[in-house]
Amino acid sequence: MNCVLEGNSIKAFGKAIHALSRVGDELWLDPMVKGLALRSVNSAHSAYACFLFSPLFFQQYSLDSVREQDSGPIKCKLVMKSVLPLFRCSTSIERSVKQCQISVSTGSDRVIVQFFCRHGRKWHQ
């Protein structure tokens, strides 16, 4: 899965992650044909939240790596503490970040978040 966010989309995506961080300690990324779902559930399994971003929300959205494997849906579980700092300050993201690319690699079991900034590129695995 590969998707690209630009401008205000990065800010909205970050706010969704912050809202989900209030629900649980884990973030699930579910790339699907109808869009990218961000989900979280609390430790007692009594609260659940989901944001579904349609492919039209992204500048670019492709599921090439998902279709190659044909092994069913891909679900990535990430620790919220590792994802939250990436989208922490939306005002600094607005000023410095031009583009954000999120890639899910099934072969290497990695989620890569790249920020293309004015003064270079920052990436996180």
Side-chain angles (χ1 to χ4, degrees), residues 80-96:
M80 195 64 79
K81 286 183 181 180
S82 65
V83 178
L84 202 56
L86 302 178
F87 296 94
R88 174 132 308 169
C89 186
S90 61
T91 56
S92 67
I93 286 175
E94 277 184 50
R95 280 187 239 127
S96 65

Side-chain angles (χ1 to χ4, degrees), residues 4-78:
V4 176
L5 297 159
E6 288 185 351
N8 288 334
S9 298
I10 299 171
K11 186 177 177 181
F13 194 81
K15 286 187 176 188
I17 290 174
H18 281 282
L20 291 173
S21 72
R22 294 175 182 240
V23 174
D25 295 332
E26 297 173 342
L27 175 69
W28 289 85
L29 291 176
D30 299 334
M32 302 178 288
V33 174
K34 60 182 177 180
L36 178 64
L38 301 179
R39 305 173 201 266
S40 185
V41 64
N42 70 349
S43 59
H45 295 285
S46 61
Y48 169 81
C50 176
F51 288 95
L52 177 63
F53 294 98
S54 77
L56 297 174
F57 177 78
F58 301 97
Q59 190 72 19
Q60 176 187 343
Y61 183 80
S62 65
L63 293 174
D64 295 335
S65 61
V66 176
R67 290 185 187 145
E68 288 174 5
Q69 296 230 342
D70 290 332
S71 61
I74 293 178
K75 295 184 179 185
C76 303
K77 180 173 76 169
L78 304 172

